């Protein structure tokens, strides 16, 4: 087992990052006119730290400026897709076929210990779109009595109905939908693996999964621009980086490197994509680094995917905290579903549903819970919710700061 920061491979030491820098310096309009790119083309020494951060705003402003004018031999053609638009604006994304291959290989590598081989009737729950309205179902036969399904649906009862009809042994969905599905554990005892992506799983996800005997949970973290970034490990429970696909480091709000155990912003180089090179890309997601390396991983190991900046709460006197409620507390209070919402520097609402819908939580109970588990500087309020609204993309934040 590796221990300590010195054992971790960081982007500046990664030959794949150097290759991506050369590609960007020669063939990508956005980077080509940079001072560091000019020096690199002249054969001068350029360190990865000399490259400025690339922001989402820069990519949104002109996505085609990041499209390479030429690809190295063997990378295949260019594939175009679009981001989900969860930040309010969808943008085109370009990848080469070589990146698609590597992304799939990393997905298989990170899932290899979850026992996926031979599972029957996989349902992939995806966001409805104009061309695939709610209820659209695409079936692909895989073998006798085994189909793979793409179901464009966010309504949990409809998804449950399809699962029970086919006795699906594997389901992939948004994390919050997976949590809602597992509330019906007694109806889906045939489920062997549930995989999640796209938004945060409930804080008590592990307890929910245990309600289905023998069920396993794989959580993936990625983005349209980068592909797969990390996946949960069945052995250590932490997140291993898809290190053949991306090179990852973590910065604090002052753009300094975050040490082991710290929380900060994800900064990426998408080392497998020569069609749209992204160097020191500030994706504006936050993660918590593990205090130590596990499973002989040489890339940074992550404790938790915190999510976007708006999922961190602000303290009245400065600084941020990672909000949350302990799984044991959720179980003891009979909470079925919840969301934490920060309204002001001191006001935090606990949106909730209970296993017994006729019951209610008091404001005093919510206030004590938020003070003890998050910060005594906050005032808590309990808010019953019949529905938890989703973004246009279908994503749903478990924690949201509105200031």
């Amino acid at each position: 087992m590796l221990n300590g920061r010195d054992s971790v491979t960081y982007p500046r030491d990664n030959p794949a990052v150097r290759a991506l820098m050369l590609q960007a310096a020669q063939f990508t309009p956005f980077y080509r006119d940079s001072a560091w790119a000019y020096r690199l083309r002249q054969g001068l020494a350029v360190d990865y730290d000399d490259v400025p951060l690339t922001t989402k705003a820069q990519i949104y402003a002109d996505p085609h400026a990041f499209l390479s004018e030429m690809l190295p031999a063997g990378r295949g053609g260019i594939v175009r897709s679009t981001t989900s638009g969860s930040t309010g604006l969808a943008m085109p994304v370009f990848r080469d076929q070589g990146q698609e291959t590597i992304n799939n290989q990393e997905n298989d590598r990170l899932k290899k210990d979850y026992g996926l081989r031979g599972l029957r009737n996989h349902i992939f729950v995806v966001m409805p779109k104009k061309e695939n309205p709610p209820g659209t179902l695409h079936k692909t036969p895989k073998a006798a009595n085994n189909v793979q399904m793409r179901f464009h649906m966010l309504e949990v009862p409809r998804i449950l109905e399809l699962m029970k009809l086919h006795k699906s042994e594997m389901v992939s969905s948004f994390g919050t939908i997976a949590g809602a599905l597992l509330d019906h554990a007694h109806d889906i005892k045939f489920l062997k693996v549930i995989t999640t992506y796209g938004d945060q799983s409930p804080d008590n996800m592990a307890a929910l999964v245990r309600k289905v005997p023998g069920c396993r949970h794989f959580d993936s973290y990625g983005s349209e621009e980068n592909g797969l970034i990390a996946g949960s490990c069945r052995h250590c429970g932490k997140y291993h980086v898809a290190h053949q696909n991306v090179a990852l480091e973590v910065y604090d709000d002052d753009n300094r490197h975050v040490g082991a155990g710290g929380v900060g912003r994800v900064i990426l180089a998408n080392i497998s994509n020569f069609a749209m090179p992204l160097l020191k890309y500030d994706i504006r997601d936050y993660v918590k680094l593990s205090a130590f390396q596990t499973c002989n991983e040489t890339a940074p190991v992550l404790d938790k995917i915190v999510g976007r900046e708006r999922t961190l709460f602000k303290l009245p006197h400065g600084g941020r905290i990672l909000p949350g409620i302990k799984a044991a507390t959720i179980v003891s209070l009979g909470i079925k579903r919840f969301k934490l919402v920060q309204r002001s520097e001191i006001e935090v609402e606990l949106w909730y549903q209970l296993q017994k819908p006729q019951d209610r939580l008091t404001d005093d109970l919510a206030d004590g819970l938020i003070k003890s588990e998050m910060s005594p500087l906050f005032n808590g309020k309990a808010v019953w919710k019949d529905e938890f609204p989703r973004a246009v993309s279908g994503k749903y934040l478990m924690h949201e700061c509105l200031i």
Side-chain angles (χ1 to χ4, degrees), residues 245-294:
N245 196 46
V246 296
L248 178 150
E249 52 192 339
V250 181
Y251 287 6
D252 65 17
D253 288 340
D254 295 318
N255 292 336
R256 298 173 300 196
H257 290 98
V258 170
V263 174
R265 303 185 339 264
V266 176
I267 308 298
L268 295 168
N270 59 347
I271 54 176
S272 70
N273 188 6
F274 283 73
M276 191 177 187
L278 297 176
L279 297 166
K280 295 184 76 171
Y281 175 31
D282 187 353
I283 195 172
R284 301 307 297 179
D285 277 356
Y286 282 73
V287 297
K288 185 177 188 296
L289 281 171
S290 176
F292 55 91
Q293 294 295 107
T294 60

Side-chain angles (χ1 to χ4, degrees), residues 222-249:
S223 72
E224 196 66 39
E225 308 96 292
N226 301 282
L228 184 64
I229 298 171
S232 60
C233 174
R234 189 179 179 189
H235 302 293
C236 69
K238 301 179 186 295
Y239 288 82
H240 294 176
V241 172
H243 56 78
Q244 297 295 327
N245 196 46
V246 296
L248 178 150
E249 52 192 339

